[in-house]
């Protein structure tokens, strides 16, 4: 099963650790620090130049990645459940 995160980016559902709403979680100092450190260390992948709405934490081949997506968490959740996660 694959999850489309926007643009031409898809991830395997088995690699997804969390799908988080950027507006809700970025109010937390800890989350802002996590995202800052992840970006500083090169773990952040911006899916597109559009306004980010969510971020998806993954572990692919024992390497962490944080995908910043313009797609809402509700849509990502819906996609993960429809058609085996492929849209």
């Amino acid at each position: 099963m694959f999850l489309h995160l926007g643009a031409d980016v898809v991830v395997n559902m088995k690699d997804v650790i969390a799908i988080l709403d950027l507006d809700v979680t970025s109010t937390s100092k800890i989350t802002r620090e996590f995202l800052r450190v992840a970006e500083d260390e090169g773990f952040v992948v911006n899916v597109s130049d559009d306004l980010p709405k969510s971020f998806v934490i993954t572990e692919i081949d024992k390497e962490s990645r944080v995908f910043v997506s313009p797609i809402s968490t509700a849509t990502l959740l819906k996609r993960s459940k429809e058609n085996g996660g492929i849209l």
Side-chain angles (χ1 to χ4, degrees):
M1 283 194 288
F2 293 93
L3 177 62
H4 177 246
L5 301 179
D8 293 331
V9 179
V10 294
V11 295
N12 196 320
M13 282 299 299
K14 72 176 183 63
D15 297 329
V16 174
I17 295 169
I19 300 172
L20 302 160
D21 184 284
L22 194 56
D23 287 336
V24 173
T25 58
S26 64
T27 59
S28 165
K29 182 179 177 182
I30 294 169
T31 304
R32 288 192 310 270
E33 178 70 11
F34 167 77
L35 290 171
R36 185 190 64 74
V37 169
E39 187 163 13
D40 289 348
E41 294 185 8
F43 297 132
V44 174
V45 177
N46 285 307
V47 171
S48 78
D49 292 329
D50 292 338
L51 181 66
K53 294 181 182 174
S54 62
F55 63 101
V56 179
I57 302 171
T58 65
E59 185 175 328
I60 302 169
D61 297 327
K62 298 185 181 185
E63 189 172 302
S64 297
R65 287 277 177 250
V66 178
F67 292 90
V68 179
S69 173
I71 301 172
S72 73
T73 55
T75 300
L76 291 173
L77 178 62
K78 181 180 173 186
R79 288 180 180 186
S80 72
K81 292 180 178 180
E82 289 180 352
N83 300 321
I86 301 170
L87 272 185

